[in-house]
Amino acid sequence: MDMRYFYVLLFIFQMSLCQAQVQKLSLSEVVQKAREQSVASKQAVTSKKTNFWQYRSFLADFKPQLSLNGTVPGFTNSYIQVVQPDGTVSFQSVSYNNSVVSLSLEQKIAPTGGTIYVQQQMQRFDDFAGDATRYNGIPFEFGISQPLFRFNKMKWDRKIEPLRFQEGNQKYIGDLEQVALDATGLYFDLLVAQVNLQIAEKNRSNNDTLYKIAGHKLELGKISQNDLLQLQMGLLTAQKDLASAQQSAAVSTLKLKMFLSSRDERELELEVPVELEAFEINPQMALDEAFANRADAITFRRKLLEAERDLVSAKKENGLNASLNATFGLSNQGPRPGDIYIKPQDREFVELQFTLPIMTWGRNKARTEVARANQEFAQQSVEQDKLTFEQEIFTQVTLLQMLQKQVKLTKLADQIAANRYQIAQDRFILSNLSVTDLGIAMQEKDRAKRDYILALRDYWQTYYTLRLLTLYDFEKKQKINY
């Protein structure tokens, strides 16, 4: 009794050990693992972070910028030329330190493209040869730098960069959906390989059994030698198919584990997923969701804006370019730092610079026409991309609805073919069926099984493709977000 108990425990331990060496996964689990730990998903997260900080940098450029600038020390010890009253040049030795420190607060003005600033400056000059020290300073200064009749890059950046930021965010969602689609493809590559392996193992076992039975039936004179040889060839073919299926399953397993960044050495056992409950998809609703959610839809608007910006830039830069620079403030000097704050004097500076092309031999017009042609090309390209965009949506919606029916038909065909083969096998054993009919029933069984798995693969890949193209979850009826 004790030995029997020991053997039972040993058998249970062996079974649990075998189960521990196999990792069972469903399609949803593989997709989730791919989104969490694959290299592709981590790259998508990194791209999203880069997009976020680039946009933060853009926003920071339009906020006040406080900076401290200076030259400390500014020491010089050399000979310099000095023009004398009679026009001659004399070289004199100088030794001095000229240090400058300024504190400025700057603000860009996006609507006009200009910049305003306030600053304070302190300058110290030490003449070591004359043993003298002087201070010069600007207690307060307000300045403006304003381009006139020129292209305003800041104005266009405020239109385009938010679109680029939205585009990056939606691209992140699309990247994770692409990961799900790629994982689905690898999942079914392995599942098809495992199903082929199961078929090959079952066929080898069945052919081995039938070959042995046929040997006894030959001795009884119930089948011919030719039938026995045909079954022997079937057994050899089954053994060869088994070896090939084992190799394919091993390769597919390696590819899936590499994509998932998995170092788990257990064998993978994949579940055969079932199709979702049948649901109707309105093609127009799918198209509306795609235009509302896809990064590509934002790209269309961004490209058109960039083309319009380039045309405006070409027109502005080819005409009158002017710039107004003005400063108003206070300044003073003295032998002590505090002297610059005692009754400081007014300090003003105003200048207007301009450039007006007069003769360019058609260069300005050519640049404008190139920008205009590029804008037309961008409009045509976006229009074509929109048509392709819409066609992809309608195609996938139609294909998914067709595959919903196809999966049900192939599943039914698989069940019928399996039952028919079982009946054929029983009839052969009872000497009521020929070897040829048995082989046909086996081929139909195998083909029906593969057709069902392939139909499932097409169905799920189309489902995830439609999710990728619309960024919409049709099962839960909500937008996809991570």
Side-chain angles (χ1 to χ4, degrees):
M1 180 66 65
D2 292 341
M3 290 300 295
R4 289 182 180 178
Y5 180 71
F6 172 76
Y7 286 129
V8 169
L9 289 179
L10 180 61
F11 175 75
I12 294 174
F13 173 76
Q14 289 176 341
M15 290 298 294
S16 62
L17 184 62
C18 291
Q19 291 177 354
Q21 293 175 347
V22 175
Q23 183 181 15
K24 295 184 178 181
L25 291 175
S26 64
L27 176 59
S28 60
E29 290 172 339
V30 168
V31 168
Q32 187 62 29
K33 283 179 177 291
R35 287 174 178 155
E36 292 175 353
Q37 64 190 40
S38 68
V39 174
S41 66
K42 293 176 182 178
Q43 289 175 336
V45 172
T46 302
S47 296
K48 184 183 181 183
K49 288 180 180 178
T50 302
N51 178 62
F52 171 77
W53 289 112
Q54 285 177 340
Y55 188 64
R56 282 288 300 271
S57 175
F58 160 76
L59 293 178
D61 288 340
F62 290 87
K63 296 183 181 299
Q65 307 292 316
L66 181 65
S67 60
L68 178 66
N69 303 307
T71 301
V72 180
F75 176 73
T76 299
N77 184 18
S78 179
Y79 284 91
I80 64 172
Q81 65 177 18
V82 178
V83 179
Q84 302 301 306
D86 59 358
T88 61
V89 175
S90 174
F91 294 95
Q92 297 183 3
S93 174
V94 295
S95 180
Y96 63 84
N97 172 58
N98 188 14
S99 299
V100 180
V101 176
S102 64
L103 180 67
S104 63
L105 181 65
E106 179 182 287
Q107 173 66 59
K108 293 181 178 180
I109 308 173
T112 65
T115 303
I116 58 174
Y117 63 90
V118 294
Q119 73 168 353
Q120 188 178 47
Q121 187 181 92
M122 174 71 75
Q123 180 180 8
R124 171 174 172 161
F125 183 82
D126 298 300
D127 184 359
F128 298 117
D131 192 20
T133 298
R134 302 291 294 179
Y135 290 91
N136 180 43
I138 304 174
F140 172 79
E141 182 180 64
F142 171 80
I144 182 171
S145 176
Q146 178 61 58
L148 304 174
F149 313 110
R150 298 178 64 181
F151 172 68
N152 186 354
K153 183 176 183 297
M154 288 186 286
K155 176 183 176 182
W156 286 95
D157 284 347
R158 293 186 71 177
K159 294 181 179 179
I160 294 173
E161 291 304 319
L163 288 179
R164 197 185 302 277
F165 177 63
Q166 295 174 22
E167 186 180 350
N169 288 339
Q170 295 307 108
K171 183 178 181 300
Y172 166 71
I173 301 175
D175 288 342
L176 290 188
E177 284 303 302
Q178 183 64 56
V179 168
L181 178 59
D182 294 341
T184 301
L186 293 172
Y187 181 93
F188 275 98
D189 286 346
L190 177 55
L191 181 60
V192 169
Q194 289 185 347
V195 168
N196 286 335
L197 179 59
Q198 293 171 3
I199 291 174
E201 289 175 341
K202 186 67 175 178
N203 287 344
R204 185 206 59 78
S205 176
N206 288 344
N207 278 279
D208 182 62
T209 301
L210 294 175
Y211 177 69
K212 292 177 180 178
I213 293 174
H216 294 296
K217 295 175 72 172
L218 179 65
E219 294 175 357
L220 298 174
K222 294 184 178 180
I223 64 171
S224 65
Q225 183 68 33
N226 183 61
D227 289 339
L228 181 64
L229 292 175
Q230 186 174 346
L231 286 171
Q232 187 177 14
M233 283 298 299
L235 176 59
L236 294 175
T237 301
Q239 291 172 345
K240 182 179 67 174
D241 292 343
L242 177 60
S244 177
Q246 288 171 339
Q247 181 181 5
S248 297
V251 172
S252 298
T253 299
L254 180 61
K255 288 183 178 180
L256 180 57
K257 285 186 175 182
M258 288 179 62
F259 184 77
L260 297 178
S261 301
S262 173
R263 298 184 181 276
D264 196 328
E265 296 184 358
R266 290 178 295 174
E267 291 293 328
L268 297 181
E269 182 178 330
L270 304 185
E271 298 179 4
V272 177
V274 296
E275 68 278 12
L276 299 172
E277 293 185 7
F279 53 87
E280 292 293 328
I281 300 177
N282 186 338
Q284 187 59 48
M285 187 271 286
L287 186 61
D288 293 341
E289 290 294 337
F291 273 107
N293 305 331
R294 282 271 299 278
D296 291 354
I298 303 174
T299 304
F300 297 153
R301 287 184 283 159
R302 177 179 59 81
K303 286 183 176 180
L304 292 177
L305 272 177
E306 288 175 342
E308 184 182 356
R309 174 201 62 189
D310 293 343
L311 179 59
V312 172
S313 175
K315 290 179 178 180
K316 291 286 187 180
E317 296 301 324
N318 289 336
L320 172 63
N321 287 330
S323 179
L324 173 65
N325 299 302
T327 60
F328 305 91
L330 302 171
S331 66
N332 207 348
Q333 59 84 33
R336 294 182 301 274
D339 291 343
I340 66 173
Y341 297 100
I342 300 175
K343 295 181 180 181
Q345 304 298 310
D346 290 342
R347 182 177 188 273
E348 295 91 15
F349 169 80
V350 178
E351 72 172 7
L352 178 62
Q353 298 177 338
F354 71 91
T355 301
L356 179 61
I358 297 177
M359 183 178 294
T360 61
W361 305 101
R363 180 192 62 191
N364 293 346
K365 181 179 180 181
R367 290 177 177 175
T368 302
E369 292 303 318
V370 168
R372 195 188 309 278
N374 288 338
Q375 183 187 32
E376 292 177 1
F377 182 80
Q379 291 172 343
Q380 294 163 0
S381 297
V382 167
E383 195 62 32
Q384 180 61 49
D385 291 342
K386 283 184 177 179
L387 291 175
T388 303
F389 185 91
E390 294 174 4
Q391 187 61 43
E392 286 179 338
I393 302 298
F394 285 118
T395 300
Q396 292 299 319
V397 169
T398 303
L399 184 59
L400 182 61
Q401 292 176 342
M402 180 190 71
L403 287 172
Q404 286 178 342
K405 301 176 182 178
Q406 186 72 15
V407 168
K408 292 181 179 179
L409 293 176
T410 54
K411 183 177 182 180
L412 179 60
D414 176 45
Q415 296 171 349
I416 294 173
N419 293 334
R420 181 174 181 273
Y421 176 72
Q422 185 61 48
I423 294 173
Q425 187 176 0
D426 294 340
R427 288 182 59 191
F428 176 79
I429 294 174
L430 296 174
S431 301
N432 195 20
L433 190 72
S434 67
V435 173
T436 301
D437 291 337
L438 177 64
I440 293 173
M442 183 177 67
Q443 291 174 3
E444 290 178 349
K445 170 187 68 73
D446 296 346
R447 184 167 56 249
K449 187 66 174 179
R450 292 189 181 97
D451 288 346
Y452 173 56
I453 300 299
L454 293 176
L456 276 176
R457 181 184 67 181
D458 293 341
Y459 169 82
W460 281 104
Q461 286 187 324
T462 302
Y463 174 74
Y464 278 109
T465 299
L466 188 58
R467 281 173 56 105
L468 171 62
L469 292 177
T470 60
L471 299 187
Y472 186 80
D473 190 334
F474 293 93
E475 182 186 8
K476 298 179 180 179
K477 297 182 179 180
Q478 64 184 23
K479 297 180 185 296
I480 298 174
N481 199 3
Y482 295 104

